[in-house]
Amino acid sequence: MIEPQPVTVTINGARVHRFVEPRVSLADFLRRDLGLTGTHLGCEVGACGACIVNLDGQPVHACLMLAVQADGMRIDTIEGLSDSGELAELQAAFHARNALQCGFCTPGILVVARDFLRDCRASGRRPTRAAIRDALSGNYCRCTGYEAIVDAIESVAGAAPMREDAA
Ligand code: FES
Ligand code: FES
């Protein structure tokens, strides 16, 4: 057996130090070692997006990355983003528009949508529905047909002063 390696990460604002076997994925580390089960595991091959977390400001598939590769980095999971209130607008919009059914895909979609809207706001650009769908192209939802999810994200985008994207 390969010896566990030291890993230090900042997770949802808290510094965490653990010894982790090198073969353990970031998703398993979050879920099993840290109890952050809001990061879901669907396909475990990078196709469904259920495991997406924010790593140093960018969405990444936690199933495709080893925990040891995250050493020294900042990770924000659905739990931290939710507790900090950063997702409040999106969560309210998803609730108002029934943009979820089983909810399995929802954490990954919220992480992606939050980063997408942050980037849109930074550039002063209001996204089209096509751009929203494109942003969600790595997130599978088996229940909703996406229409209500796009409605919810579009409504949050529309609440901020941004210029319209060309269609
Ligand atoms: S579990 Fe990571 S993309 Fe499906
Ligand atoms: S709400 Fe069930 S997979 Fe999206």
Side-chain angles (χ1 to χ4, degrees), residues 100-106 140-144:
L100 68 155
Q101 290 178 33
C102 79
F104 193 82
C105 68
T106 310
Y140 286 2
C141 177
R142 301 292 295 269
C143 306
T144 66

Side-chain angles (χ1 to χ4, degrees), residues 5-165:
Q5 305 290 311
V7 173
T8 302
V9 286
T10 302
I11 297 192
N12 300 327
R15 200 165 168 82
V16 170
H17 184 68
R18 292 281 194 285
F19 281 84
V20 187
E21 284 183 51
R23 66 180 177 84
V24 173
S25 73
L26 177 59
D28 283 341
F29 176 61
L30 293 171
R31 290 175 53 84
R32 293 185 199 163
D33 292 23
L34 303 179
L36 295 169
T37 53
T39 298
H40 291 164
L41 275 171
C43 65
E44 300 192 50
V45 293
C48 75
C51 65
I52 292 178
V53 298
N54 186 291
L55 184 80
D56 275 355
Q58 297 300 324
V60 299
H61 294 89
C63 73
L64 291 184
M65 200 173 157
L66 298 171
V68 292
Q69 292 177 300
D71 187 38
M73 303 179 94
R74 178 189 170 95
I75 300 160
D76 291 295
T77 69
I78 189 69
E79 289 90 349
L81 294 171
S82 184
D83 288 350
S84 69
E86 286 184 63
L87 292 176
E89 263 185 302
L90 276 168
Q91 287 169 315
F94 271 57
H95 184 255
R97 290 166 190 270
N98 289 323
L100 68 155
Q101 290 178 33
C102 79
F104 193 82
C105 68
T106 310
I109 286 181
L110 287 173
V111 173
V112 167
R114 174 256 191 187
D115 288 345
F116 173 69
L117 290 176
R118 175 203 61 200
D119 292 346
C120 289
R121 284 173 179 167
S123 64
R125 171 174 63 89
R126 180 174 300 159
T128 61
R129 291 180 71 83
I132 294 170
R133 285 185 176 275
D134 190 54
L136 297 178
S137 60
N139 294 85
Y140 286 2
C141 177
R142 301 292 295 269
C143 306
T144 66
Y146 295 94
E147 205 60 22
I149 292 173
V150 176
D151 288 347
I153 296 171
E154 187 181 36
S155 74
V156 175
M162 294 186 276
R163 70 173 181 272
E164 300 279 347
D165 253 2

